Amino acid sequence: MEFPDLGKHCSEKTCKQLDFLPLKCDVCQQDFCKDHYTYAAHKCPFAFKKDVQVPVCPLCNIPIPIKKGEIPDVVVGEHIDRDCKYHPGKNKEKVFTYRCSKEGCKKKEMLQVPCVQCHGNFCIQHRHPLDHSCKHDSRPTSKSG
């Protein structure tokens, strides 16, 4: 007890450890030990003043600037509604693009199903030469082989 005034006690209510190298919180100006000096560790009530985070849009990956006091979720939501360049509903790619060549059939397939004899593109139902009345020089092969 040669130096009773040396060091300070941690300001965390559950700790109160005597620390000879205390760290002062730059926001609430209280002294803390090495375990409680971060904003989250001592639950600093004024951490929002220094906690500067830039939210990123989950759709277009662009950082969204926010002003102090604004709620990041609300600002990102407004960005998605107004300024976001990624619109999943607008640029919808067509999946079924290959139309059946059989007269009267309006079905479309995701993949091409070409006939080996007439080289037309057909749906699954009309893929066999007998099913689409294949008009090739040779007669169509039977269904059995």
Side-chain angles (χ1 to χ4, degrees):
M1 296 295 286
E2 294 178 21
F3 304 105
D5 295 330
L6 188 63
K8 293 189 178 179
H9 289 279
C10 179
S11 296
E12 177 64 28
K13 295 172 188 167
T14 59
C15 182
K16 299 293 183 193
Q17 176 182 347
L18 179 62
D19 198 336
F20 295 107
L21 293 171
L23 299 163
K24 186 173 278 219
C25 176
D26 59 343
V27 181
C28 65
Q29 302 298 319
Q30 293 182 0
D31 296 311
F32 294 98
C33 65
K34 66 178 178 65
D35 297 329
H36 297 110
Y37 78 95
T38 61
Y39 300 141
H42 71 270
K43 298 178 181 119
C44 187
F46 305 106
F48 67 92
K49 292 181 180 179
K50 291 283 185 161
D51 188 17
V52 181
Q53 295 180 357
V54 179
V56 177
C57 176
L59 300 176
C60 63
N61 290 327
I62 294 177
I64 315 295
I66 59 170
K67 297 174 184 163
K68 285 190 176 186
E70 288 183 323
I71 301 169
D73 291 340
V74 173
V75 176
V76 171
E78 288 174 358
H79 162 78
I80 290 172
D81 293 341
R82 295 184 190 148
D83 307 325
C84 190
K85 292 182 174 41
Y86 178 79
H87 296 286
K90 267 188 186 175
N91 302 333
K92 195 172 187 180
E93 293 181 20
K94 293 183 179 179
V95 177
F96 297 97
T97 55
Y98 300 104
R99 189 165 185 203
C100 182
S101 298
K102 172 134 172 103
E103 286 184 34
C105 183
K106 294 183 178 181
K107 288 185 182 176
K108 294 180 181 179
E109 296 294 331
M110 291 172 54
L111 301 171
Q112 282 184 326
V113 185
C115 175
V116 294
Q117 293 179 358
C118 65
H119 303 290
N121 190 46
F122 298 96
C123 65
I124 297 294
Q125 186 178 357
H126 300 119
R127 69 184 182 270
H128 297 294
L130 289 176
D131 292 334
H132 65 262
S133 307
C134 188
K135 294 180 175 78
H136 191 264
D137 292 339
S138 66
R139 46 188 194 109
T141 57
S142 66
K143 284 186 177 180
S144 62

